Amino acid sequence: VLVVDYPPEEAAAFGTATVYVVFRIGRRLWDDSTALVASAFMALAFIHARDSHFGTTDTALTFFIITSVGLLIGAHQSGRHRDFALAGVVGGLGAATKYNAVLLIAPLVASYIVHVVQATDKASAARDPRLFTYGLPFLAAFGVGVPFVVLDYKNFVLAMRELQSSMTVGDPR
């Protein structure tokens, strides 16, 4: 399994950028005061600050997830397909950094459901391509970030099964 190690300087940059993205999301959804409080909590979160200091992949993962969700919020509000595509690329880079970013499917599906529920023409809303305009760029960015998933799929599946087994059984040593 490919593991990306970030130097501490890059992890600190990802951590700092995440605080800014949280501020932008807070401002977009509420107001400046809420955004400031939310970003302060992000900046002072112990694990985020510690991981930013030590250069773990979790800092980059957090940045990509928060950024993708922020872009999804903007895309949901604007309805522009290019916004969904950009959010998908960022989410795919997050999944290439650490696989559990595939959970970004949850806010995407939530956006789709809210769109359909709020629409007057449910049939037309159900055909909205946001699942694809997010999903295809997500998969493309993931494939570029972790090319062996495509180039050596058989060994990727074997590695994932081994990882699943180790999570189920634990370390046999």
Side-chain angles (χ1 to χ4, degrees):
V1 176
L2 176 68
V3 176
V4 178
D5 288 324
Y6 292 100
E9 307 83 39
E10 288 180 26
F14 277 123
T16 303
T18 303
V19 173
Y20 175 71
V21 173
V22 167
F23 179 82
R24 294 289 308 250
I25 292 171
R27 177 185 272 175
R28 169 170 258 165
L29 294 177
W30 294 283
D31 56 27
D32 285 350
S33 299
T34 305
L36 194 58
V37 170
S39 60
F41 275 115
M42 187 73 212
L44 298 173
F46 172 74
I47 291 176
H48 184 68
R50 183 199 66 189
D51 288 352
S52 295
H53 175 77
F54 288 113
T56 67
T57 56
D58 293 338
T59 308
L61 171 69
T62 303
F63 169 77
F64 286 125
I65 288 176
I66 296 292
T67 302
S68 184
V69 168
L71 291 168
L72 266 171
I73 290 167
H76 178 80
Q77 291 174 336
S78 72
R80 290 190 303 247
H81 298 300
R82 70 178 170 90
D83 294 345
F84 282 103
L86 180 59
V89 168
V90 172
L93 293 175
T97 301
K98 201 164 179 183
Y99 297 143
N100 53 357
V102 299
L103 295 175
L104 282 166
I105 191 73
L108 174 63
V109 169
S111 169
Y112 178 77
I113 290 170
V114 168
H115 173 70
V116 171
V117 167
Q118 291 179 343
T120 53
D121 182 7
K122 306 275 189 233
S124 176
R127 290 188 302 273
D128 184 86
R130 69 184 62 203
L131 297 175
F132 295 105
T133 54
Y134 179 92
L136 294 177
F138 181 100
L139 292 173
F142 178 71
V144 168
V146 189
F148 78 93
V149 170
V150 176
L151 301 175
D152 194 6
Y153 182 73
K154 182 180 173 184
N155 282 328
F156 172 74
V157 170
L158 288 172
M160 289 298 101
R161 285 191 184 132
E162 189 175 312
L163 180 62
Q164 179 187 16
S165 174
S166 73
M167 293 292 137
T168 306
V169 176
D171 190 0
R173 292 181 260 164

